[in-house]
Amino acid sequence: MQIATHTLGCKLNSAETSAIAAQFRMRDWEITQSAENADVFVLNTCSVTSNAEKECRQIIRRILRQNPNAFIAVTGCYAQLRPEEIASIEGVDVVLGAKEKFNLFSHITSFEKLPAPKIFSSPIDEATEFHLAATSDTDERTRAFLKVQDGCDYTCSFCTIPLARGESRSAEIAHILSEAKRLSSDGFREIILSGVNVGDFGRKTGTSFYDLVKAIEDADAMSARIRISSIEPNLLTDEIIELVANSQKFCPHFHIPLQSGSANILRLMQRRYTPDLYMARIAYIKELMPHAGIGVDVIVGFPGERDEDFLDSYHFISDLDISYLHVFTYSERPDTKAIAMGSRVPIEKRKERNAMLRILSEKKRQDFYRRQQGEVVTVLLERGVRTDPISAEIHEGYSENYVRVGIDAIPNDAELIRVRLGESTGEFVHGELLETLTYRNHELLLPILQ
């Protein structure tokens, strides 16, 4: 029997899809990339935007055109929020909510097409268990995303995640260390600590995210470098920044959601920080790690965002010493406070603001790349090779501070390499190969640059 999977949305979803696939693998199912040949197709959905929901429906219909006999199971955030909508799509067999996501085999014993869809969905306040999960970002198994936290207790006025994933909860530190060591032993050279709100890790069990990163920093038999995924600015403490600054494991790279540089819009969003606090976080990172890469999430077109609010946000971001932006256009989501707010921003104005920030993001990225010229960094290579009209082949990867680097020629078995950064092509920075780094007994023979 064969199973195919598809993930929409975040890397956390990808890790959970991998955990679901592992349940099939344990029962001697074969994992296939071809949905046309699969007996079962599992779709893990997202509901952050209306486009994510639309894509979910399109994928299901496409799979059924290719493979009308496939058993279709749908889970994820959209499945928790709108199970009846998914069940109404012709050909769907089972819909699993947040609590039931990892319990497909408890509900289904025979994966034959059903005459009518079944919905297994509980109220979100019953989703209290934590399920550890990890996945590779590519088939080549270079980087792994390790889920350490799930759910969120925040009440941001634009967000449906608390309704889709439930309360904040996390794994035991000992379990995370065991899984991280396994991933490192399996050959992953980078592990990204992932979650819905990773900075909230452990709060309900008397530990903290700092306790987790300190335990990982002190752990033996772990050769992989560690990267922190998105973390809220109010939860990114001085001691976390200081640990990363002095670490030989943690990458000097942070992704810190801002959403808006306007104090007025942050209040409407019900965010838990001010522009001044955010600026202080960036300043302290750069004081200790001038070379650190910093990514920022921003939302444009939030209800009530006047021209002056957007310009406040634009100029605030322009003054920040950051590396790149992830720009999102506000999308009305059912069951959020924001949808009832007045003063909606016209769609065309939202698109204009998005375009302006994307241009600013590229300027920030290229300025960051220029300042890295001449620096020596460690690059984790990806297996894909792009064809360059001049150099024929370019091998690519990311430095520890999240510079995308292209190398003309590398040894065939290289994974981590040390390079000197040259000029930017726009898409990546050319790197001059200095040496290949090797491992012995899980220890990197040459230290990661800090």
Side-chain angles (χ1 to χ4, degrees):
M1 300 286 284
Q2 293 187 327
I3 172 181
T5 64
H6 188 84
T7 305
L8 297 173
C10 62
K11 296 298 184 181
L12 185 62
N13 266 9
S14 296
E16 292 177 338
T17 301
S18 182
I20 294 170
Q23 296 180 353
F24 281 85
R25 189 182 292 111
M26 288 173 58
R27 292 167 171 82
D28 295 326
W29 284 62
E30 178 184 343
I31 310 299
T32 177
Q33 302 301 314
S34 173
E36 292 185 39
N37 300 322
D39 300 284
V40 172
F41 180 79
V42 176
L43 176 61
N44 195 358
T45 64
C46 175
S47 190
V48 171
T49 68
S50 58
N51 283 338
E53 294 180 358
K54 179 180 178 182
E55 187 178 1
C56 167
R57 295 189 290 271
Q58 290 174 339
I59 289 171
I60 292 170
R61 289 166 179 147
R62 184 176 70 244
I63 294 302
L64 287 169
R65 284 197 300 270
Q66 298 172 347
N67 186 356
N69 295 319
F71 184 96
I72 306 292
V74 185
T75 188
C77 294
Y78 184 24
Q80 174 65 33
L81 293 172
R82 304 280 182 269
E84 292 82 8
E85 283 186 20
I86 297 174
S88 69
I89 301 172
E90 186 177 355
V92 170
D93 294 286
V94 62
V95 182
L96 301 167
K99 180 183 177 182
E100 295 77 18
K101 183 183 300 182
F102 299 98
N103 298 321
L104 177 58
F105 284 94
S106 298
H107 299 294
I108 301 296
T109 56
S110 174
F111 291 93
E112 300 291 333
K113 294 293 290 181
L114 298 176
K118 293 184 177 181
I119 297 176
F120 301 98
S121 182
S122 305
I124 194 58
D125 58 7
E126 294 183 17
T128 57
E129 293 185 5
F130 180 86
H131 296 269
L132 199 64
T135 189
S136 168
D137 64 331
T138 69
D139 294 336
E140 319 305 342
R141 298 170 64 85
T142 55
R143 297 190 299 167
F145 291 84
L146 175 58
K147 174 185 170 185
V148 301
Q149 185 273 341
D150 197 358
C152 187
D153 296 337
Y154 284 11
T155 55
C156 300
S157 60
F158 57 85
C159 187
T160 60
I161 287 177
L163 300 174
R165 285 188 168 271
E167 66 178 20
S168 178
R169 54 204 186 273
S170 49
E172 297 291 336
I173 290 178
H175 295 162
I176 293 173
L177 287 178
S178 177
E179 183 67 4
K181 289 179 179 179
R182 182 192 68 79
L183 292 168
S184 180
S185 178
D186 284 349
F188 290 99
R189 297 310 180 207
E190 181 174 300
I191 298 172
I192 299 95
L193 306 181
S194 304
V196 173
N197 189 354
V198 295
D200 205 35
F201 174 92
R203 182 172 56 84
K204 295 179 179 176
T205 58
T207 58
S208 68
F209 188 60
Y210 174 77
D211 294 332
L212 173 62
V213 296
K214 183 66 166 61
I216 293 173
E217 176 69 15
D218 294 341
D220 297 326
M222 193 187 308
S223 58
R225 68 187 190 186
I226 311 296
R227 199 179 295 276
I228 299 172
S229 68
S230 179
I231 182 169
E232 295 286 308
N234 52 301
L235 299 176
L236 178 57
T237 63
D238 286 353
E239 58 183 356
I240 294 173
I241 295 171
E242 290 160 5
L243 183 147
V244 173
N246 294 290
S247 175
Q248 291 297 314
K249 288 182 181 175
F250 280 84
C251 296
H253 169 227
F254 296 89
H255 194 94
I256 313 170
L258 171 64
Q259 310 308 7
S260 176
S262 161
N264 177 49
I265 298 302
L266 287 179
R267 283 193 297 270
L268 292 175
M269 289 179 168
Q270 297 183 189
R271 301 292 285 166
R272 300 192 179 196
Y273 52 86
T274 63
D276 286 344
L277 183 148
Y278 193 95
M279 183 172 286
R281 295 292 83 202
I282 302 300
Y284 194 52
I285 292 170
K286 287 297 185 173
E287 177 185 337
L288 300 186
M289 295 168 279
H291 60 296
I294 301 176
V296 178
D297 288 340
V298 188
I299 296 173
V300 297
F302 188 79
E305 185 184 65
R306 302 163 298 178
D307 288 343
E308 53 263 42
D309 293 317
F310 173 71
L311 289 176
D312 283 347
S313 184
Y314 183 93
H315 293 307
F316 178 82
I317 296 167
S318 183
D319 290 339
L320 290 175
D321 188 1
I322 60 173
S323 310
Y324 60 92
L325 302 173
H326 284 172
V327 186
F328 301 90
T329 300
Y330 172 74
S331 176
E332 284 80 5
R333 309 307 301 129
D335 303 319
T336 61
K337 293 179 182 179
I339 199 170
M341 294 179 179
S343 303
R344 290 191 179 184
V345 178
I347 297 296
E348 286 306 311
K349 184 159 286 192
R350 297 184 206 184
K351 292 179 179 179
E352 290 172 7
R353 292 173 181 176
N354 184 299
M356 288 177 65
L357 283 181
R358 287 181 183 274
I359 292 170
L360 178 60
S361 175
E362 192 55 31
K363 289 179 180 177
K364 288 287 186 182
R365 186 190 305 274
Q366 293 309 317
D367 179 61
F368 179 61
Y369 283 180
R370 279 191 295 271
R371 284 184 284 144
Q372 301 303 305
Q373 190 168 348
E375 295 291 331
V376 175
V377 298
T378 305
V379 176
L380 176 62
L381 292 167
E382 298 170 355
R383 298 304 184 214
V385 178
R386 78 161 68 193
T387 301
D388 183 277
I390 299 175
S391 304
E393 285 189 351
I394 296 290
H395 300 259
E396 296 183 49
Y398 281 99
S399 68
E400 60 272 47
N401 60 342
Y402 215 63
V403 174
R404 188 156 188 84
V405 181
I407 313 293
D408 291 341
I410 59 169
N412 289 333
D413 59 348
E415 292 179 320
L416 277 172
I417 58 175
R418 199 182 293 281
V419 306
R420 178 173 285 108
L421 296 178
E423 294 184 356
S424 170
T425 67
E427 294 184 65
F428 58 84
V429 176
H430 273 293
E432 175 193 356
L433 178 63
L434 300 179
E435 54 196 343
T436 299
L437 308 185
T438 57
Y439 288 87
R440 183 178 299 149
N441 297 327
H442 302 292
E443 293 296 328
L444 185 63
L445 298 186
L446 292 173
I448 291 176
L449 177 69
Q450 285 289 338

